[in-house]
Amino acid sequence: MFSERLVQDAALIQAQFDLVLGALDDVDVTHAMAYATQGGKRLRGFLVLESARLHGMDETCAIWPATGIEALHAYSLVHDDLPCMDNDDLRRGRPTVHKQWNDGIAVLAGDALQALAFELCARPEVGPAEIRADLALTLAQAAGARGMVLGQALDIAAETAQQPLSLEDITRLQAGKTGALIEWSGCAGARLAGENPERMRQYSRALGLAFQIADDILDVEGDAQKAGKRLQKDAEAGKATFVSLLGLDAAKARAAELVDEACAALDSYGERAETLKEAARFVIARES
Amino acid sequence: MFSERLVQDAALIQAQFDLVLGALDDVDVTHAMAYATQGGKRLRGFLVLESARLHGMDETCAIWPATGIEALHAYSLVHDDLPCMDNDDLRRGRPTVHKQWNDGIAVLAGDALQALAFELCARPEVGPAEIRADLALTLAQAAGARGMVLGQALDIAAETAQQPLSLEDITRLQAGKTGALIEWSGCAGARLAGENPERMRQYSRALGLAFQIADDILDVEGDAQKAGKRLQKDAEAGKATFVSLLGLDAAKARAAELVDEACAALDSYGERAETLKEAARFVIARES
């Protein structure tokens, strides 16, 4: 059920990107925007759509923030891959945007994708103004210097730090770097329905942390071909990760524990939450 | 009156930045954000505050989008100055962010400033949700691939184009690159009051174009010391500008004509619009 839903939702989001990006001028930057948004699992967009369904909202309004969060995620990858950041040549099995075009186009395409994310959340089609303002505000908080960018800043600071990061430091770093957007995505469906997102917050916080631990495990054990990106990066860079701090077995046990926590947070929704529970189990079983 | 108001409003905006940025974590990226937002005329923020006053709105709500547009403008300068873009070492008389820190910090600080701009427009303090959603949506449109980034993309495309740009091309390019944010700023006060921004749109469109023509004139005739940045850049790069296409005298005449148009658009507001009219006259008389 989950795996088919993930594929269907990815197709819905792609169609929405085609619609939105197809209306833009025919220049390198907009081509780079389209390129950067292709492929990937679209887990964040799926979380928006599926959490919306769980709260009785249909796809015609949820597709906008679902596409918006994927635009924001794509921008973060394009900028992360730049030579002055992680300097990666490969992303989702293809050349990164700055390799396909150049660094200037990658900076601009990322910048425009971030603006697009806010546009898609604030559009009239999304729903009442209260909800659109709430989505835009919470997305800005998740994306900015108290969310995703803070995580990236802490990551950069760690490279020149005197002491290796502790488990607490890494947890805080990852809560920003990957956690903030995943949490926003899981809460978005409740927000779209004007409901309290607390249960979804518990679910998606645990999910986000499990996702990151699984990423660290994948970085050590994974197959670069299947992952579509360079692996063993953290070990090469001498970075502390959940795996280097906990060891491989304890990291796997912790990830499994977090998945149980995520699922438990949804128990009060009953059977309708089964697809989201499956998503949590998938997150630690994935190969890419 | 205008010149004092500009200085007062710049101080209000600085105080707001101190409040907002002072609450962030103590890391390089947030220091770079604060550095990037210091100095400058803050003309866009002034336009938000003054257009708000013209529409009967006080500073306690208008200060948020006024600070937001200055955050967005600061982000665009930080990214524009990067080696992979315009490669400038000097901005507002000081080293650019990537010279003071490095390229990675400059990318991240710009990214976080863009997110901050949307946060400041969508905050509850700004007013009713209708207005916050409207400000966030229109700002996203002005900042993205149909506004500012489109202008930058057309600018990059022009560098490798077979034919030199026409006056029409340059006008379209600048309407995006500098015009979109100036137009948004001038309209923001009407939007804050829930009023039709049409007169303000006419004013700020003409103002934005006059501003850019004045910038091209300054690039040729200006004093780099007073401007606080490198000049004669366009001529060195062989770029078409309003001055290269029209000649210096005709460019000055066109800018003056646009200032008259901008002022005329405000006539129906009566004397209360005098400060904004002075702002329009200032734009073509400035030395930086």
Side-chain angles (χ1 to χ4, degrees):
Chain A
M1 184 64 184
F2 158 71
S3 56
E4 290 125 61
R5 193 37 79 74
L6 186 66
V7 171
Q8 286 164 7
D9 283 353
L12 286 179
I13 292 166
Q14 185 58 52
Q16 197 71 5
F17 269 129
D18 292 345
L19 184 78
V20 168
L21 297 176
L24 297 178
D25 270 61
D26 177 26
V27 287
D28 279 354
V29 170
T30 57
H31 299 164
M33 290 169 74
Y35 181 88
T37 52
Q38 285 156 11
K41 295 178 293 294
R42 305 201 196 274
L43 181 67
R44 292 158 192 79
F46 158 82
L47 288 171
V48 174
L49 287 165
E50 191 59 26
S51 67
R53 292 181 191 111
L54 182 61
H55 292 85
M57 304 302 293
D58 75 11
E59 289 145 10
T60 54
C61 61
I63 190 66
W64 298 98
T67 309
I69 192 68
E70 289 294 336
L72 200 92
H73 178 53
Y75 122 66
S76 76
L77 298 180
V78 171
H79 282 189
D80 257 0
D81 288 338
L82 282 168
C84 63
M85 305 281 286
D86 281 357
N87 193 22
D88 275 309
D89 296 349
L90 201 62
R91 170 67 69 183
R92 294 173 174 170
R94 300 192 303 177
T96 45
V97 170
H98 68 272
K99 294 300 281 185
Q100 189 75 6
W101 283 272
N102 57 56
D103 293 8
I105 293 290
V107 169
L108 283 178
D111 288 344
L113 283 168
Q114 178 165 206
L116 179 63
F118 290 102
E119 182 182 339
L120 295 178
C121 287
R123 282 179 75 120
E125 294 92 332
V126 175
E130 285 288 352
I131 283 163
R132 294 184 285 128
D134 185 34
L135 287 174
L137 176 61
T138 52
L139 185 62
Q141 290 165 336
R146 264 169 305 169
M148 184 175 73
V149 173
L150 175 63
Q152 291 170 309
L154 294 173
D155 203 13
I156 288 178
E159 285 170 20
T160 54
Q162 301 293 319
Q163 298 195 326
L165 295 189
S166 66
L167 193 59
E168 197 186 328
D169 295 334
I170 287 273
T171 304
R172 182 153 175 269
L173 188 163
Q174 296 300 350
K177 200 173 171 188
T178 57
L181 294 197
I182 290 178
E183 184 176 323
W184 185 89
S185 305
C187 293
R191 294 188 194 284
L192 271 168
E195 288 182 29
N196 185 327
E198 194 45 42
R199 286 179 290 179
M200 294 307 301
R201 191 190 310 281
Q202 284 179 33
Y203 163 81
S204 48
R205 273 205 186 150
L207 179 77
L209 190 51
F211 183 91
Q212 187 54 49
I213 296 176
D215 229 43
D216 289 353
I217 294 168
L218 203 60
D219 194 60
V220 174
E221 286 195 326
D223 178 330
Q225 195 77 35
K226 286 181 183 165
K229 62 183 178 185
R230 187 160 59 92
L231 295 178
Q232 273 94 42
K233 285 197 301 188
D234 295 334
E236 279 169 28
K239 276 191 188 176
T241 68
F242 288 107
V243 172
S244 75
L245 287 168
L246 292 172
L248 199 48
D249 288 346
K252 286 181 181 175
R254 178 76 185 117
E257 202 176 82
L258 285 161
V259 167
D260 288 343
E261 267 180 55
C263 291
L266 301 185
D267 277 345
S268 58
Y269 284 105
E271 276 188 18
R272 291 171 306 130
E274 193 47 47
T275 308
L276 285 171
K277 291 185 181 180
E278 272 186 68
R281 288 176 214 118
F282 160 79
V283 148
I284 59 166
R286 70 203 159 93
E287 293 183 316
S288 72
Chain B
M1 183 64 183
F2 158 72
S3 56
E4 291 126 59
R5 194 36 80 74
L6 185 67
V7 171
Q8 286 164 7
D9 283 354
L12 287 179
I13 291 165
Q14 185 58 52
Q16 197 70 7
F17 270 129
D18 291 346
L19 184 78
V20 168
L21 298 176
L24 297 178
D25 271 62
D26 177 26
V27 286
D28 280 353
V29 169
T30 58
H31 301 163
M33 290 169 74
Y35 180 89
T37 53
Q38 285 156 11
K41 296 177 294 294
R42 304 201 196 274
L43 182 67
R44 292 158 191 79
F46 158 82
L47 288 171
V48 174
L49 286 164
E50 192 58 27
S51 67
R53 292 182 191 111
L54 181 63
H55 292 85
M57 304 303 293
D58 75 11
E59 288 145 11
T60 54
C61 61
I63 190 64
W64 298 98
T67 308
I69 193 70
E70 289 294 336
L72 200 91
H73 178 54
Y75 122 66
S76 77
L77 298 180
V78 172
H79 282 188
D80 257 0
D81 288 338
L82 282 167
C84 63
M85 306 280 286
D86 282 356
N87 193 22
D88 275 310
D89 296 351
L90 201 62
R91 169 68 67 183
R92 296 173 175 171
R94 301 192 304 176
T96 45
V97 171
H98 68 273
K99 295 299 282 186
Q100 190 74 5
W101 284 272
N102 57 56
D103 293 8
I105 294 290
V107 169
L108 282 178
D111 287 345
L113 283 167
Q114 177 165 205
L116 179 63
F118 290 102
E119 182 181 337
L120 295 178
C121 288
R123 280 179 77 120
E125 294 92 333
V126 175
E130 285 288 352
I131 283 164
R132 294 184 284 128
D134 185 35
L135 288 174
L137 176 62
T138 52
L139 185 61
Q141 289 165 338
R146 265 168 304 169
M148 185 176 71
V149 173
L150 176 63
Q152 291 170 308
L154 294 173
D155 203 13
I156 287 179
E159 286 170 19
T160 54
Q162 303 292 319
Q163 299 195 328
L165 295 190
S166 66
L167 194 60
E168 197 186 328
D169 294 335
I170 289 273
T171 305
R172 181 151 178 270
L173 188 164
Q174 297 300 352
K177 199 173 171 187
T178 57
L181 294 198
I182 290 177
E183 182 177 324
W184 185 88
S185 305
C187 293
R191 293 188 193 286
L192 270 168
E195 287 182 30
N196 185 327
E198 193 47 41
R199 287 178 289 179
M200 295 308 301
R201 192 191 309 282
Q202 285 177 33
Y203 164 80
S204 49
R205 272 203 188 151
L207 179 77
L209 191 51
F211 183 90
Q212 187 54 48
I213 296 175
D215 227 43
D216 288 353
I217 294 169
L218 203 60
D219 194 60
V220 174
E221 286 196 324
D223 179 330
Q225 197 77 35
K226 287 180 183 163
K229 61 184 178 183
R230 188 161 57 93
L231 296 178
Q232 274 94 42
K233 284 198 302 187
D234 294 334
E236 279 170 28
K239 278 191 189 178
T241 70
F242 288 107
V243 172
S244 74
L245 287 169
L246 292 171
L248 200 48
D249 289 345
K252 287 180 180 175
R254 178 77 185 117
E257 200 175 83
L258 285 161
V259 168
D260 289 344
E261 267 180 52
C263 292
L266 301 184
D267 277 345
S268 57
Y269 284 105
E271 278 188 15
R272 292 172 306 130
E274 194 46 47
T275 308
L276 285 171
K277 290 185 182 181
E278 273 185 69
R281 289 177 214 117
F282 160 79
V283 148
I284 59 168
R286 69 204 160 92
E287 292 184 317
S288 71

